[in-house]
Amino acid sequence: MNVKRGSTTFLKVIIFLAGIAVLALCIWLPEIAIRDARVHPDTAYFLIPFLVCAYGFCITFSVVLYQAFKLLTYIERNNAFSELSLKSLKVIKKCAFTVIFFIVLGIVSLKVLSKVTGDDPAGPISLGLMGILATSIIAAIVDALQKPLKNILELKPKND
């Protein structure tokens, strides 16, 4: 019992630290955008799609962190096989697809910007594609966890 509580507490601390990092990124994003707009005033209007993608990604990632925190709380309370856990997994999977959407939107914006400036966007685009791959793997894992949990809940007799 202590091992489970210790591991879930460790994971909760990691989730909390990741949440602080996302919050810090959200706070510094406008400052970074303003600094870049001053350096490159001719392409400053291209920062708007990137900021939309960045904030959309941060908000979605924050929702995922919150749901993962809730899921760990359910595990600590021995409610891992409950409707609440299934609902959290569904939200995490939907957020994974939303993150993929924002990454694709960022890649498209970057491609348009590269046409205007003549820069080579291969590096950032490859990082975006790696992000899509990682997010797809997470969505597949969540889906693999969701199916047996749904089957267990369907077989479980309802105590009303």
Side-chain angles (χ1 to χ4, degrees):
M1 194 69 159
N2 288 337
V3 174
K4 184 171 74 168
R5 176 158 311 272
S7 61
T8 55
T9 303
F10 174 74
L11 289 173
K12 283 182 173 182
V13 168
I14 296 298
I15 288 171
F16 182 74
L17 292 174
I20 290 173
V22 169
L23 179 64
L25 178 66
C26 288
I27 291 170
W28 282 311
L29 267 176
E31 183 181 326
I32 294 168
I34 290 169
R35 194 176 309 149
D36 189 65
R38 287 185 183 139
V39 173
H40 304 102
D42 52 329
T43 58
Y45 56 91
F46 275 108
L47 288 174
I48 294 171
F50 288 114
L51 286 174
V52 168
C53 292
Y55 276 110
F57 177 85
C58 288
I59 290 168
T60 307
F61 192 69
S62 298
V63 171
V64 168
L65 290 176
Y66 175 69
Q67 293 298 324
F69 193 88
K70 281 177 40 176
L71 197 57
L72 288 171
T73 303
Y74 300 146
I75 290 170
E76 277 182 350
R77 296 179 182 163
N78 291 327
N79 287 335
F81 301 107
S82 66
E83 279 293 327
L84 296 172
S85 297
L86 185 63
K87 191 182 292 187
S88 289
L89 288 173
K90 285 180 183 178
V91 170
I92 290 171
K93 189 167 78 171
K94 287 178 184 177
C95 286
F97 292 122
T98 306
V99 165
I100 290 172
F101 169 76
F102 283 121
I103 292 173
V104 168
L105 191 62
I107 288 173
V108 169
S109 299
L110 186 62
K111 195 68 177 160
V112 170
L113 177 64
S114 72
K115 292 289 184 187
V116 171
T117 62
D119 291 337
D120 183 24
I125 287 176
S126 65
L127 286 174
L129 293 174
M130 285 186 251
I132 289 173
L133 176 66
T135 307
S136 300
I137 291 170
I138 290 170
I141 290 170
V142 168
D143 190 52
L145 290 172
Q146 201 176 4
K147 287 180 183 177
L149 183 59
K150 188 182 278 186
N151 290 339
I152 288 171
L153 291 175
E154 287 174 357
L155 294 175
K156 192 187 239 186
K158 300 215 187 244
N159 296 331
D160 291 321

